[in-house]
Amino acid sequence: MTDLKTDLPDSKSEELPSTDYETLDARVDRRAFIARMGALGAAGVALAQLPPVPARAAGYSGSSLPKVAVRPEVFADPTEATIAEATTLIARKQLKPSELTEAYLERIRLYDTDYWQAYYTVLADESRAIAAKLDRAYKPVGLLHGVSVPVKDNFYTKNVLTSAQSLIFADFVPDVDASAVARIKAAGGIVLGKLQMGPLAGGRPRNPATGEVTTRNAWSPDDPGPSPSGSSGGSGCCTAARLATCSLGTQTGGSITGPGQSNGLTALKPTHGLCSVFGVIPLTITRDHIGPLARDAMDAAIVTSVIAGPAPEDLRTLNLPRLPNLIGAATPVVWKGRVAPRWRLKVGVPAGFADGTSATALARTAMLDVLADIGYEIVPVTLPDEYVLLNGGAFNVSSTERGEMDYQYLREDVRLFGDRLTGWVSALFIDGPTANKGLRCRQRAYDLAYSELWTQCDVIFSTTGFDALGFPLCTLPIGFAPNAAGIELPISTTLGGPSFGEEKILSVIAAFQAATNYHLRRPPNPTIGLARAGDPRVPRIRMNARSVDAEIEATALA
């Protein structure tokens, strides 16, 4: 398979969405947003007091179910389908939700329990029942009709174990769904199960009692060495390994973008507050995010369109501007057989980003050449010295929030925190003046970002401080290279933008993916019967009582 596409459709045969509107970040009152984020981080401020962020009206009609050309590979194997391809086939009655669901359950049965270990709980019979109902639907229920979207195990799922892969919540079964889970279901999505994660959303997925690793990198099913990266590693592995169409993860400090990069995905961390985190076991008020780990920009846009927007149960989402047309933004523009920019944007590149002759540097250089050929202006960007300093570890005081949230568990039994104990205990030793200083530094960083960073570019290949500041980020694969053991792994990077800059980010990534094929490559399947190195025999999967089949249930619980 070649890396560059040569069969791009001519725009005369394409119905392209309207582009005669400004992106949301250009219409937002930035001073109001900075004031809001300052209020959010201030000690003792009630969330109900968050000021509104006004925006001028947009000129689009909203999101609708996209119809795309379906690749031949999908007809041979439906698990190859993106969300857009799957919903297109389902709408045409060429694929049933039950057929797609069974295809994923079969891959889980064959490959997950003893190899990838992405799932913690598989909701097999529940998913089958929902898929059967969707088969009988007269028309699509929503943007995710029949699509499997499992979630990280820190999302509340009604009447289903939600452990955060920790000893604290080992037996916690919530009686409500998280906001995002409820919206996935309402949009016709199928929550196929709960995914493995780092204990209490920290580090690589592992046994909370022993620290032994569980989930593997999707591209290394036969070798546990390569990491799936941060705490959403189960989500990243699941999507890349075609164990579901897409998945949800959480991020406080790189836990969506890290697995997105490691597993070669288009993983979007939206602007802070754009998506409700109600019903997600929390770490911090000011830095917790949720987002999709998807296969391409369109899929990331579809899922975000479902889970984003005001939620009365989460005051952080209120008084924000109307959600923009992300699906339109993620639709590539093709003009006279060539990919073209949806908006003429300046793509920022920090110093040293593509220097050297390593595989990563060469992939980055090639990516920038593709973007320049498409028509984007590639501009060198200088990060203000003070901005870099303000986002350093010395001023990162968000750990005080998790110390406060979980203080009762620390008092109850410190052993419940396992190998995460040090981080929680150290948070208790950050004094009030230091915490307040950190919050003031964050506010200053906001000011500098808008006065000295976003004046240079529209989007940037940099993540410095973006978690703490709530700016949106999205990963994209840009190449592949073997590691020291000869295992070919993705080379990825991350594109960031200003608050509410998701449209710009997705449009650039969609254009790059329309011109290249890196996002279409899939990991190899595990070698069935190959002995695993180690075998911690952790309770890595808790199948529901009506499991995929008796054989896998017996294997998982042995």
Side-chain angles (χ1 to χ4, degrees), residues 187-242:
I190 299 173
V191 180
L192 196 57
K194 308 295 291 294
L195 299 167
Q196 298 231 30
M197 58 182 287
L200 290 175
R204 178 177 180 172
R206 59 196 184 279
N207 184 323
T210 67
E212 292 175 288
V213 299
T214 53
T215 307
R216 299 183 179 187
N217 187 297
W219 293 84
S220 177
D222 297 328
D223 187 339
S227 175
S229 192
S231 68
S232 299
S235 302
C237 176
C238 174
T239 301
R242 292 187 289 124

Side-chain angles (χ1 to χ4, degrees), residues 148-294:
S148 298
V149 186
V151 299
K152 189 174 177 178
D153 197 37
N154 56 349
F155 284 81
Y156 281 27
T157 40
K158 185 177 180 179
N159 298 329
V160 176
L161 178 71
T162 300
S163 74
Q165 206 143 343
S166 72
L167 301 177
I168 294 174
F169 302 102
D171 299 309
F172 175 54
V173 178
D175 57 5
V176 296
D177 283 327
S179 299
V181 172
R183 290 184 176 188
I184 288 172
K185 293 178 178 179
I190 299 173
V191 180
L192 196 57
K194 308 295 291 294
L195 299 167
Q196 298 231 30
M197 58 182 287
L200 290 175
R204 178 177 180 172
R206 59 196 184 279
N207 184 323
T210 67
E212 292 175 288
V213 299
T214 53
T215 307
R216 299 183 179 187
N217 187 297
W219 293 84
S220 177
D222 297 328
D223 187 339
S227 175
S229 192
S231 68
S232 299
S235 302
C237 176
C238 174
T239 301
R242 292 187 289 124
L243 302 173
T245 321
C246 187
S247 62
L248 287 190
T250 65
Q251 175 156 326
T252 302
S255 291
I256 290 175
T257 53
Q261 288 200 14
S262 294
N263 292 280
L265 299 173
T266 309
L268 175 65
K269 182 201 78 67
T271 300
H272 186 270
L274 199 64
C275 301
S276 170
V277 294
F278 171 81
V280 176
I281 295 175
L283 283 181
T284 77
I285 291 175
T286 60
R287 291 184 57 168
D288 283 357
H289 302 74
I290 66 169
L293 289 92

Side-chain angles (χ1 to χ4, degrees), residues 43 80 84 101 112 144 206-207 290 305 307 317 355 380-381 384 398 416 440 468 527 540 542:
E80 172 63 33
T101 299
D112 193 58
L144 298 176
R206 59 196 184 279
N207 184 323
I290 66 169
S305 297
I307 64 174
T317 67
D355 290 352
V381 170
S398 59
L416 295 174
R440 287 193 296 107
T527 304
R540 55 189 176 277
R542 299 187 181 187

Side-chain angles (χ1 to χ4, degrees), residues 339-350 353 367-381 453-461 495-496 504 507-508 511:
V339 181
R342 180 162 295 280
W343 295 283
R344 297 288 180 179
L345 303 178
K346 293 182 178 180
V347 177
V349 179
F353 175 74
M367 174 197 66
L368 294 175
D369 289 342
V370 170
L371 292 176
D373 185 62
I374 290 172
Y376 293 104
E377 183 180 356
I378 310 300
V379 297
V381 170
L453 174 57
W454 299 125
T455 55
Q456 301 178 63
C457 61
D458 297 294
V459 293
I460 185 173
F461 285 106
L495 187 64
K504 290 179 177 178
S507 72
V508 173

